[in-house]
Amino acid sequence: MSPPAAIFESPAPAVLGNDVDLKKNLAVKVASVGPDGQAKTVADFEKNWESFTFAPIRESQVSRAMTRRYFKDLDTYAESDIVIVGAGSCGLSTAFMLASKRPDLKIAIVEAGVAPGGGAWLGGQLFSAMIMRKPAHLFLNELGVPYEDDGDWVTVKHAALFTSTLLSKVLQFPNVKLFNATTVEDLITRPAPTREDPNAVRIAGVVTNWTLVSMHHDDQSCMDPNTINAPLVISTTGHDGPFGAFSVKRLVSMQQIEKLGGMRGLDMRTAEDAIVKRTREVVPGLIVGGMELSEVDGANRMGPTFGAMALSGVKAAEEALNVWDERNAQNAE
């Protein structure tokens, strides 16, 4: 096993005078180096950079450690309990609520982009602040994200504060795995005929591929995908676009729904309520939330206000837990 990082040849010098008071006031621990010369805190680095060195390693060790962990995750989550498609604000909010309530469930998040977070890293028109209409501020309270109270809405000083906090908390759950730079190319189906529709299906997982591979199917030879089985899929891929509204567009081509309603013009007052209230299981095994739902229902777009995305995620998690036992039992058949 490689030795711990940051080895020192000599201990850090004592900090005297006003520096001691400053460090105390800033709650910075005074440097303490063990008898083996190994740093114990970041403060130990100060004024010791000449003797600083990283722990020894071979390049192959990095490669093996990285790939070993990733393939272990692929193996673990090939059979998941819930797959969330899209790691934007709605998908991440869904994951946060599900993982909080059901730590026993394996939750895989599949995100087409390299950087998770969707469009919530900035506010509207590249402005940085995030606006959330009340009562969505209650979700910010759950996360511990500070905001300014402006009456009927609250303002987060930078949208990235919300997104990074939410993303960080989601990734800390031991039962959640994010597969980014990975896209959903198709849905796994099982026959689920009804009297009204003998051709009806149940969604039983997702078909995945590297996003860069998916973007080049037209100019490269066949590059087959991978799969993740799950009794329940929650799709939050956003409004129509290259990878947006993917799951519901696939439902149309599979003739599971007749057509998409198409997103209507911007009306914040109606759009946010509609997206939250109508977040639901569209076909058995597939819950749809966020702006992808507006494409199904023909709902209005909401523009640069983000409360509906967060609370649609809360509703999606609730809907998922309501049908989980039934879908899980069907998945075992």
Side-chain angles (χ1 to χ4, degrees):
M1 180 181 294
S2 299
I7 308 299
F8 288 84
E9 297 175 359
S10 60
V15 181
L16 303 174
N18 293 334
D19 286 343
V20 174
D21 295 331
L22 177 61
K23 285 183 175 291
K24 183 177 180 181
N25 292 337
L26 295 177
V28 176
K29 188 174 181 180
V30 175
S32 63
V33 178
D36 57 357
Q38 180 178 328
K40 302 300 183 183
T41 69
V42 172
D44 298 337
F45 297 159
E46 296 174 8
K47 301 180 182 179
N48 281 279
W49 296 109
E50 289 300 320
S51 59
F52 171 86
T53 182
F54 282 105
I57 200 166
R58 287 179 62 82
E59 290 78 3
S60 60
Q61 289 178 290
V62 175
S63 181
R64 284 172 170 167
M66 181 173 56
T67 55
R68 183 167 56 241
R69 177 55 183 263
Y70 195 83
F71 282 109
K72 178 183 177 182
D73 289 336
L74 284 175
D75 181 72
T76 299
Y77 287 88
E79 281 282 352
S80 291
D81 294 314
I82 295 178
V83 173
I84 298 173
V85 188
S89 50
C90 180
L92 291 174
S93 298
T94 304
F96 177 80
M97 296 303 299
L98 282 174
S100 299
K101 292 176 178 292
R102 291 291 301 270
D104 57 309
L105 298 180
K106 282 194 297 183
I107 303 168
I109 309 174
V110 182
E111 165 57 40
V114 172
W121 288 108
L122 289 168
Q125 198 173 316
L126 302 183
F127 301 144
S128 57
M130 172 176 277
I131 308 300
M132 280 196 179
R133 294 165 62 200
K134 292 181 178 179
H137 69 296
L138 299 178
F139 187 69
L140 298 179
N141 293 345
E142 290 280 331
L143 296 177
V145 174
Y147 54 80
E148 300 167 14
D149 192 323
D150 293 313
D152 290 334
W153 67 87
V154 300
T155 303
V156 179
K157 68 177 183 179
H158 200 296
L161 179 58
F162 165 77
T163 305
S164 61
T165 302
L166 176 58
L167 179 60
S168 175
K169 289 183 177 293
V170 166
L171 293 180
Q172 289 180 61
F173 286 109
N175 58 324
V176 175
K177 170 60 185 178
L178 169 65
F179 296 97
N180 49 323
T182 306
T183 190
V184 170
E185 290 193 334
D186 207 348
L187 301 171
I188 299 173
T189 63
R190 298 286 186 265
T194 64
R195 180 178 300 178
E196 296 78 16
D197 184 2
N199 297 315
V201 301
R202 173 176 57 85
I203 305 305
V206 295
V207 179
T208 64
N209 214 327
W210 309 125
T211 301
L212 290 177
V213 171
S214 293
M215 294 171 65
H216 287 279
H217 281 318
D218 292 338
D219 54 46
Q220 296 292 328
S221 59
C222 178
M223 293 173 279
D224 283 329
N226 206 348
T227 58
I228 301 177
N229 284 99
L232 195 57
V233 175
I234 303 174
S235 194
T236 64
T237 67
H239 56 73
D240 196 2
F243 294 104
F246 173 80
S247 296
V248 296
K249 288 188 289 189
R250 189 70 181 96
L251 291 182
V252 174
S253 62
M254 290 191 299
Q255 299 181 340
Q256 296 304 298
I257 58 177
E258 182 179 356
K259 64 179 181 178
L260 298 183
M263 187 171 59
R264 303 294 198 265
L266 192 151
D267 185 343
M268 290 181 184
R269 294 178 297 178
T270 61
E272 290 205 280
D273 287 0
I275 289 170
V276 174
K277 289 180 178 180
R278 292 185 60 78
T279 295
R280 66 191 185 280
E281 190 178 41
V282 174
V283 299
L286 180 68
I287 293 171
V288 180
M291 294 309 294
E292 184 170 4
L293 187 67
S294 68
E295 299 285 358
V296 180
D297 292 344
N300 294 90
R301 63 185 299 183
M302 62 181 191
T305 176
F306 292 85
M309 294 298 94
L311 296 190
S312 178
V314 175
K315 177 84 178 318
E318 179 182 335
E319 295 290 312
L321 296 182
N322 286 341
V323 301
W324 162 250
D325 289 336
E326 181 181 357
R327 298 294 168 251
N328 190 41
Q330 291 171 332
N331 195 56
E333 295 174 355

